Amino acid sequence: MSSSTLTAAPTLTARYRAVRAHSEALCRPLLPEDTVVQPVIDVSPPKWHLAHTTWFFETFLLKEHLPGYRLFHPQYAFLFNSYYNSLGSRVNRADRGTLSRPPLADVYRYRAYVDEHMQQLLAPYADEPAAAPFAEVLELGLQHEQQHQELLVTDIKYILSTNPLAPAYFPADAPAPAPQPALPPARWLPVPGGLGQLGYQPAAGDAPGFSFDNELPVHTVYVAPFELQNRLVTNAEYLEFVEAGGYEDFRYWLGEGWELVQTAGWQAPLYWVRPEQPGGAWQRFTHHGLQPLDLAAPVTHVSFYEADAYAHWAGARLPTEPEWELAARHFGAEPAGGNFVESGLYDPAPLAPDADPAQCHQLLGDCWEWTYSAYHPYPGYSKAEGALGEYNGKFMVNQLVLRGGSCATPASHIRLSYRNFFHADKRWQFTGIRLAR
Amino acid sequence: MSSSTLTAAPTLTARYRAVRAHSEALCRPLLPEDTVVQPVIDVSPPKWHLAHTTWFFETFLLKEHLPGYRLFHPQYAFLFNSYYNSLGSRVNRADRGTLSRPPLADVYRYRAYVDEHMQQLLAPYADEPAAAPFAEVLELGLQHEQQHQELLVTDIKYILSTNPLAPAYFPADAPAPAPQPALPPARWLPVPGGLGQLGYQPAAGDAPGFSFDNELPVHTVYVAPFELQNRLVTNAEYLEFVEAGGYEDFRYWLGEGWELVQTAGWQAPLYWVRPEQPGGAWQRFTHHGLQPLDLAAPVTHVSFYEADAYAHWAGARLPTEPEWELAARHFGAEPAGGNFVESGLYDPAPLAPDADPAQCHQLLGDCWEWTYSAYHPYPGYSKAEGALGEYNGKFMVNQLVLRGGSCATPASHIRLSYRNFFHADKRWQFTGIRLAR
Amino acid sequence: MSSSTLTAAPTLTARYRAVRAHSEALCRPLLPEDTVVQPVIDVSPPKWHLAHTTWFFETFLLKEHLPGYRLFHPQYAFLFNSYYNSLGSRVNRADRGTLSRPPLADVYRYRAYVDEHMQQLLAPYADEPAAAPFAEVLELGLQHEQQHQELLVTDIKYILSTNPLAPAYFPADAPAPAPQPALPPARWLPVPGGLGQLGYQPAAGDAPGFSFDNELPVHTVYVAPFELQNRLVTNAEYLEFVEAGGYEDFRYWLGEGWELVQTAGWQAPLYWVRPEQPGGAWQRFTHHGLQPLDLAAPVTHVSFYEADAYAHWAGARLPTEPEWELAARHFGAEPAGGNFVESGLYDPAPLAPDADPAQCHQLLGDCWEWTYSAYHPYPGYSKAEGALGEYNGKFMVNQLVLRGGSCATPASHIRLSYRNFFHADKRWQFTGIRLAR
Amino acid sequence: MSSSTLTAAPTLTARYRAVRAHSEALCRPLLPEDTVVQPVIDVSPPKWHLAHTTWFFETFLLKEHLPGYRLFHPQYAFLFNSYYNSLGSRVNRADRGTLSRPPLADVYRYRAYVDEHMQQLLAPYADEPAAAPFAEVLELGLQHEQQHQELLVTDIKYILSTNPLAPAYFPADAPAPAPQPALPPARWLPVPGGLGQLGYQPAAGDAPGFSFDNELPVHTVYVAPFELQNRLVTNAEYLEFVEAGGYEDFRYWLGEGWELVQTAGWQAPLYWVRPEQPGGAWQRFTHHGLQPLDLAAPVTHVSFYEADAYAHWAGARLPTEPEWELAARHFGAEPAGGNFVESGLYDPAPLAPDADPAQCHQLLGDCWEWTYSAYHPYPGYSKAEGALGEYNGKFMVNQLVLRGGSCATPASHIRLSYRNFFHADKRWQFTGIRLAR
C-alpha cells in the first residue's frame, strides 16, 4: 500500500461506521437463507462477506494493536480467512456454501463485537487519524470492505438469478421504463499520444489519500495517438452483434473464447433472456427481477472474450491500460456525477440524450471497462511485507485489467489509477465495453 | 405398490397429521440457514425434504382427486420434483443447495396449505379410509414421507458434521456415557436351509397393510443352511480391524473398494475422528456433536466395501438377501422393542449385557444391514403405470440391498420384507454389519 | 481355480504352441502402429495383450518352476502386470497407450524367449501333463491367453473403428451379402422350473477339464417355470426399437441408463451408422470396415441398459443367470456347431432360415447374452491363495453376468457354467440380447 | 505475415528440400511405434507433425496454385488440420494419439507426393523466387515446418521420457561429461532506458526476409533503465533454490503457480530426477536418456511460475518483452555462434569458462527466455485475411512471451523480434531464466 493520509472524513470513527454500515444495509433486503448459498465458486455467500471483512479488522488491527483484545471466536480465523497462506489453513473456497453455521445472527454479533472494539482502538486518534500507527492498515481495511461491498451487489444478483423464482432484491417494483430510443452512434474522440505517467499521482490531480500497491510506482509510458469512443457500447449495439450471428462465427473470437462459447453454450451476455418467439423482446435479470432489455443502456456482464469479439466485429479494438488511463486524464474524468453504487440503480445507466458528444462519457462508474492489458506488476513494483503482501501481488498473471469502476462501486473507492482485474471468462461483475482504434 | 389396506390408526386424518408433524419436529432444532445447504450431492437440504414430501401429496392426490384444487405456487413442481421424468423438467439434483428461495417460512406455509386441503380430501373417508379411491396413493405418500424423515435425520447429521464448528443438533448435552465394557464375542446361530418364500406376506406373519412394489411378488427361493451372528459387529470389533491395518491391505477389499479407499483417503468409518496422539481415544461425530467412540455400540456409517472387507478380515462373509429374510423369519424378528427413530437416540445402541446370546438381536432397527445381493427385481415384478412407476423400478441396477431398518427409521415403516438399497460406496446412512458364514 | 485335469490335446506342448500361435495370428494383419494405441481405457493396445499374456507365463510358471530362469527384461513386470497388487506397482491402466516401447518386434522376441523356456519346462511332462506340479497354473495361463484373444478381436475392432479412415482388418473384401429377409418372429419355449444345480459339473455333462474359481462351488438353486426365446434378438427387431423412438423415451430405461443415453448421446448400438438421408440404409463398422446392416443377424454391441430397455419395450425381460444356465442344460446346448472365433466371421451370424423353431438356438457362441444377475460369489466361494486369488474375486460387485460366449471366443474356452462379467454400460464386446418372460 | 523477400538460399528448391529433409532426419532414430503416441495433450505424435506440415503445403500452395493438382487423400485434410476453423472440422486435438492410421510409411509417401508436386510448382521461379505469386505463403510454410521441427525435438523427448524404460533418442552414448565446476556468479549489466522501437526492423539490423505478423508493426516503446544478467540461470543456481525449500514456500510463488505446485506435486524442473539417497546426485532425462545434472548448464524445462518464483527468491525479477528486445539490440545479439538445433546437442550448453563477463551471453539459442509480458497484439496489429489469419492472432490472451530461441530452434528461424508464447504452466519446451532488476 502506498504511504497515504486518510481521506478527509467528518471523523475517523464516523467514516469507519459509515463504511461498515453500508455492508449491512446492502444485506438488509436478504433473508437468512439468501446469505448462505454459493451457486458457483466465484460467488461467495453474503454471510461470508460480512464475516470476512470483519475478520480483516480483527486480524490486522485488533489482534495487533488493541492490548488485551480477545478473539470473538477461536475458529473464525479458519472460517473467514480468504486466501492468506501466511495466516494458516482455511475453508476451501469452493466449500463456502456448505457452511450453515455460524448463522447470520452470529455474524452480526461478530460485527458488533469487532465494531465496538474498533471504536476503542480508534478513539485516541479521533482528531488526528494519520497519527495512528495503524493508519495505513485501517485504510486498507476500509478499502477492502468497499471491495467486498461491490462483490455483495454482484454476488447477490447472481444468487437470486439462479433461482427459478427469479426473486427481486428490491422490494419495490422497478420504475416503468420510459420508452427510450437507441442513442445516436458513438463518436470517435482523438487522444494525443506521447510520453505519459501511469499510476497513482496525487500531485497530478489524483485526490490525495489512498492507493493500492498495484497502482505504484508511477512510471513513464509511451502511447501512440489513438481514438476512443465517447461512450460505452450499448445494449442496442451489442444486440446487433448477437442478432448478426456473432456467437456463431469463430472469426471474431480469440481461440480460448471460441472454445468457451461452444462448451458453455453462450449466446448472449450473462443474464440476458432470449425471447421465446423470434421477434419478441429480450429481457435481462436485474436487482428488480426480470426486466425488458433497456436498449440505450450500456451493455454489461460481458466477458473479455465477448468484449474483444464485439470489438472485432465492429471493426475496432479494446484500449490498452495505458491508453485508458492517459485518455481518462486527458479528458479530465472525475468520479463526481458518475453512476456509482450510491445512485441505487445497481445497473449502468443510459447516456442522457442531450449529453455533449464531444465529451468522453461514462469513464468512471457504470461499467468496469475491459482493457487489452494483462494485470502485471508495474515496473519497480514491490509488495508489502507479511500477510498483506498477499493482497495484490500474487494475482499478477492470467488476468486482464479493468478500469473505471461500476454502478456497484462506492464512489469514494474509485480513482483514475485504480486497477481492477479478472480472468477473461468472468461475467458476473458489471463489466462493459469501450472501443478504441 | 401392493394392494393394501391402510394400517390401523386412530383415524385416517390423525395418522396423516402425525406423520406430517414428525417431519416438522425433526427440523425444529435447525436454523433457517441449516435447511439450505447441500454439502454433497447425496444430501438434500432439509428445506427441500419438507417441500418435496408436500409436493408429493399435492401432485398425486390433490391435483388428481380434489376438485377445484389450485396449486400453491405454479413453479413448485419444477423446484420440488425429485426424479420423475414423467412429470417434466426439474432442478438438477446437484443444484438443490444453490436455492435460497423459497425460504423456510414459505415452505412451512406450503405445508400448511397442502395439509389443510388434504384434510378436506380425507374428511369424507374418515371412517372408512380404505374406501377412498386414492387409498393406496395416500398410503404411498405417507410411507414416502417416512422415508424422507429418515433422510432428514441422516442429512442433518452430515450437514452439521461438515461444519468446522461441529455444532450439535440436540440442544441438551449428551448423557455422560457409562463406562461400557466391550461385549462378549458374538455367537454363531445356525439357520436351516431349504425352500422358503421371499417377499411381503401378510398371510405368513407380516402385518397386513402396506408394502412397496419392490417387495413383490412373493416367490420361492432355495437357500443352503448357514450361520448368522447373533448381533451386529461392534465399534470395538471394527476398531480392531482399523488398528490391524485393514485399510492398508488390499487383500481384504473388492477392487473398486480398494481404489476408493486410496483416492478418498478412507481410514475409518464416516464420522470417526482419529486420536491426535497414538493411543488416544477415538471420537465420533453424532447428533450430540463430537463424542467418544462407544465401543459396545454397533459400528455404523460403513460402506458396503468396508462391510465386505471387514467380513473377509474376520473370516466370514455378509449374508445374501434371501438368507437375511429367511433368517429373520426363522428367528421371529419383530419391530417391537427395536431401536428406531422413536427412541430419540439417533444412534445404534449397544446390546444389553444380559441379552440372551441364543437369540438373534438387532435384526430390526439400529442399523441397515448390508447384504451381498444386488437390488434387482423379484421374479415377476412389474412396476406401476404412470409416474409412480418410477418410484422403485428404475433404480434396479448397481445397488445393493440393505435390510432391517435403522435408528433413524420410523418403527411403523419397517417390515421383514422391506428392501432398502444404496450404492456400494455410500456411508451417510446408518449402515452396519451382520456376519454370516 | 478348480482342481482339473488338462483337456485332451495331441500333446501338452502342442496345445501350448497352438494357443500361443493364435494370439500372434490375430495380430498378423496389424501394422506396428495399430498395436500401440488405446483410444479408451477399456481397450488395451494389442502389443500390451501380446506381452501381458507372456508375462503371465513368465511370472507364474517360469519364475516359480524353471530353475535358473532369467527374466527377459527386469522392467517388463512393471510394464505388463495388469492388476495384481500382490505383484507390486505397475503402469497405470489409462496410460498403456502412451508407451511406444518396447516396440512390437521386442514383444515378439519376448514371446519367443518365454515360449522356448516354456518348452523346456513342459518337456518332462510331455506324456503325462497332469503330473506336472504346475498343471493347474499352466491351464490357467492358457485360459487366460484365450480370454485376451477375445479382447484382441474386440479391441482391434474398436481401435480401427475410431479411425476416420475406417480401415478394414481383413485384407480381402467382405463377401457380398446375400439379400437376406428378416427372420420369422422368435418363438417362446417353455422351461420347467424347480430345483437345479448351478456351476461347473463335469459329472452332469460338462466336459471334464477346467473351470474358473468363480464357477464353483456347484450349488442348488430354485427357479420358477419361465419361457425363453428360441433365438437372439436380431438387428431387424432392434432397429424397430430404434426407429420407434426407443432412445428418446425414458420409460423403457433404468435411471442410470437413461442418464447415460443423454450424456453420451447414444442413439443406436455401438458401431451403427445412421443413414445420412431418412429412409437410407443403416451401416455397421465391422472387421471388414463399414458394411450394410445385416437385418437377420443378431444385434450386438449393446450395453446392459440397452438390452434391458429393449426387453421392456418388447414386453419381455432378460433372463437371470440361473434361468440361463438351467435352460441351457435343459436344451442341451453344446459348443459344437456354434459360431466361435474359429468361424473367422468375427460377427454373430443369422440363424439359418430352415432352423427348427422348436429348438433353442445360439445359446453358445454368436453373442454374450446379458443376464439380469449381478456378478457375485456363489455360496461357499473361496478364492485362491496368493496373487492368483486376485484373478476373479475382487471384481464381484457392480457388474452383470453374461453367458454363452461369442463369435470372438475360442470354442475350446466356453462351457455352460462359464461366467463372464461387465459393467452395465460396456458395449465393445460382442454382447447381445436373449429375451425371457 | 509481413511483406518479405525470401531469404538468400542456394536456390529456392534447394531450400525447400533442405527444410523438408530436416524434419525427416529428426524422425530417423524413431521406431514407427514412437511416432504414434500422445502422452499429454500438448505433445503431438511425430507422425502427425510430419503429415500436418505437409498438409500445410498441400492446402495453401498446391490446391491454390498448381493447376490440376489432386489431393493425395481426400480425408487427410480432416486428419491433419491443426486448428483452422476456416478449413472445416478436424480430429480433436486430444485424440491425435488414438490414430494408428495412416501408418508412418503412408505419411512418408504423402510427403514424397507433395514434395514432388511442390518441385513442379517451384520450378518456374527457380531463378526469381520472389516473383512467385505465392512467395509469402511458401515462406510461411517453411517457417511453419521449422516451428514443428522444434516441437519434434521437444515432443520426442517427452514421449521417450514417459516410458519406464527411459529409452535414448541418440543411438550413441552421451559423451562422458567433463567434470565441470559451477560458473562464477552472473554479473549485472546495465541497459540504458528511453524510447525504442519494438518489432521486426530489417532497416535497423534485422536480417531482411521473413517475420510473422505478430512481430508487426514496429512501434515505439518507453523503457526505464534496468540491469540484465550476463548469462542464463544455471542448474547449480536453480538447485540451490530447490534445496533451500523453494517449492515448499508459498511466498515466492504467484497464487496460481502455488496451487499447481501443490496439485501437480512439482518439486523440481521437468525431467529432473531426485537422488534416491539424500546427498546423492540429481539426474536429468535427456535425448541421451538419464544423465547426471550438469551444474554449469542453464536450467531448462521450467514453467513461467518457476522462473518467476526463482527470480523472487533470488531478489530479482524477469525482464519484460520490451526490455528483452531492446537489451538484445543494445548488446548486439546475433544468431551466429548460438547453440541452436544445428549443434546437435539438443540441450542448452554451459557458458565457456573464459567467456567475457562484460558481454551478454546466451540471448539467442540455448533456452527460450520467459518474459513477464503477455502475448498480446502490438498496437496496430492486424491479422491476415482468410484461414492464415488464424495463424497467430487467435492465441493472443492468457499466454506469456518467450524470446531468443533455444537449442531446438533452427538457427535460420530466429530473429531479435521473434515472439514465442506459451501458457504459464508449460515446461516441455527448452525454457530458461534470464534475470533482470
Side-chain angles (χ1 to χ4, degrees), chain C residues 29 31-34 36-37 39 47 73 75-76 78-79 91 97-105 159-160 162-165 167, chain D residues 29 31-34 36-37 39 47 73 75 78-79 91 97-105 159-160 162-165 167:
Chain C
L31 301 169
E33 289 91 335
D34 297 326
V36 178
V37 299
K47 191 158 69 81
H73 192 292
Q75 283 187 274
Y76 278 21
F78 176 77
L79 287 167
V91 169
T98 67
L99 300 181
S100 64
R101 309 285 179 96
L104 183 60
I159 286 168
L160 298 177
T162 60
N163 197 300
L165 303 175
Chain D
L31 301 168
E33 289 90 334
D34 297 326
V36 177
V37 299
K47 191 158 70 79
H73 191 291
Q75 282 187 273
F78 176 76
L79 288 167
V91 170
T98 68
L99 301 181
S100 64
R101 309 285 179 97
L104 183 60
I159 286 168
L160 297 178
T162 60
N163 196 300
L165 303 175

Side-chain angles (χ1 to χ4, degrees), chain A residues 180-188 229-247 252 267-269 272 282 293-300 302 306-307 309-316 349-351 361-362 367 432-436:
Chain A
Q180 194 144 11
L183 295 175
R187 189 185 289 189
W188 291 101
Q229 282 204 347
N230 65 338
R231 60 163 171 78
L232 293 169
V233 170
T234 64
N235 282 325
E237 289 163 338
Y238 198 88
L239 183 57
E240 269 189 76
F241 170 65
V242 172
E243 297 191 333
Y247 282 78
Y252 307 126
Q267 302 188 354
W272 283 33
W282 287 78
L293 186 66
D294 179 354
L295 293 174
V299 66
T300 188
V302 288
E306 288 162 299
Y310 175 82
H312 267 274
W313 175 81
L351 193 61
H361 301 280
Q362 299 170 321
C367 291
I433 312 175
R434 168 87 54 183
L435 295 182

Side-chain angles (χ1 to χ4, degrees), chain D residues 349-367:
Chain D
L351 192 62
D354 59 351
D356 177 0
Q359 300 290 316
C360 196
H361 301 281
Q362 300 171 319
L363 280 162
L364 295 177
D366 287 307
C367 292

